Amino acid sequence: MDVCASPLKVALTSVRDNFVPMVVLWLFAAMLVFAYYCIPGCAEALGPLARWQCRSGSRGAFLSLAFFCGIVPGLFFLAVQSVRPPRPVLTMLAQTVWGGLWGVAGNWLYSAQSVCFGGNADWKTLLLKTAVDQFIWTPFILSPFNAAFFFWLGRDFSFRRVAAELPRHFVRAVFLPNLISNWLVWIPVLCVVYAFPLPLQIHLSGVASAFWALLCLRIGRWNEGTAAEPLRH
């Protein structure tokens, strides 16, 4: 891979390689919101899930994102050799715990936004919540940690390799590709997620997170096998 590629090129290449599942994800999200509000019985069918989330809170959010970010992608790269990491089982376990923790954090974010902006599904509220999510929460909290975590996964859990291969310009080489691809994938999805009642939002974001975890792993391995540029004094 071109280690000097621009952040936009890295993000677009990773998205392009996963373009078909991404479009399927967008269509599925659009169909979900249409079915929920337009097809009789769909909202009632999701009632048990919403009630369970109300009772379980952070525990439910952890379990949901652990499943979607860890188990589902893990089964995928166990089954598909071309995307299989060197340690697939360990990678799956690491992503399961990591996804679960972000599920708790994401559930807190959704709850806080519901308190601040209300629970309406009008376009103004949806765009406001999506903007806070993607232009405040994501660049300053989510993406920095996510970029570092998946860079470590892409180095086969080796801190020695991280130290040896860490790009001198980490923001340009690792953080920005993660952030840009996040915007490309998640802005359309979140407009759908925030259209649902609060108890369902974390689970719907989990569905998208299964695809997102695979994309992050792809970006994290972009510079695999390259040594870091020596620091200049």
Side-chain angles (χ1 to χ4, degrees):
M1 291 183 181
D2 181 7
V3 299
C4 297
S6 70
L8 181 59
K9 180 180 178 181
V10 176
L12 289 177
T13 300
S14 299
V15 169
R16 183 198 64 196
D17 292 346
N18 296 274
F19 183 75
V20 173
M22 184 178 68
V23 172
V24 171
L25 171 65
W26 287 344
L27 292 174
F28 179 70
M31 289 171 58
L32 276 178
V33 73
F34 174 80
Y36 186 85
Y37 285 104
C38 300
I39 299 179
C42 286
E44 290 77 6
L46 292 175
L49 178 61
R51 291 190 290 272
W52 177 76
Q53 178 58 37
C54 289
R55 294 193 303 269
S56 59
S58 295
R59 178 170 57 88
F62 181 93
L63 292 174
S64 180
L65 269 292
F67 174 76
F68 285 115
C69 289
I71 305 301
V72 172
L75 294 175
F76 180 79
F77 55 61
L78 281 173
V80 182
Q81 187 173 3
S82 62
V83 298
R84 187 178 303 162
R87 300 186 186 182
V89 175
L90 186 57
T91 301
M92 179 173 64
L93 292 175
Q95 289 187 189
T96 297
V97 176
W98 185 254
L101 293 174
W102 280 112
V104 175
N107 191 57
W108 174 87
L109 173 67
Y110 296 160
S111 299
Q113 293 229 70
S114 182
V115 171
C116 292
F117 306 123
N120 295 331
D122 59 277
W123 280 108
K124 181 180 179 180
T125 302
L126 296 181
L127 292 176
L128 183 59
K129 289 181 177 179
T130 300
V132 170
D133 190 309
Q134 289 295 286
F135 299 108
I136 298 178
W137 171 265
T138 294
F140 294 105
I141 299 177
L142 174 61
S143 278
F145 291 102
N146 219 37
F149 174 77
F150 280 98
F151 187 84
W152 175 60
L153 255 62
R155 301 308 169 282
D156 196 23
F157 301 91
S158 171
F159 290 104
R160 180 177 298 179
R161 285 189 59 189
V162 168
E165 299 178 25
L166 187 69
R168 184 171 183 270
H169 302 289
F170 182 83
V171 171
R172 180 183 185 277
V174 182
F175 168 71
L176 285 179
N178 185 283
L179 179 61
I180 293 170
S181 58
N182 189 301
W183 286 338
L184 293 173
V185 173
W186 278 98
I187 288 177
V189 171
L190 284 173
C191 288
V192 172
V193 168
Y194 284 118
F196 280 82
L198 176 61
L200 295 174
Q201 289 174 7
I202 190 64
H203 302 290
L204 292 166
S205 70
V207 175
S209 295
F211 165 78
W212 176 240
L214 292 171
L215 189 61
C216 285
L217 191 61
R218 171 82 164 84
I219 294 173
R221 297 180 64 184
W222 182 269
N223 294 322
E224 188 174 17
T226 62
E229 178 184 348
L231 294 176
R232 295 182 176 88
H233 299 285

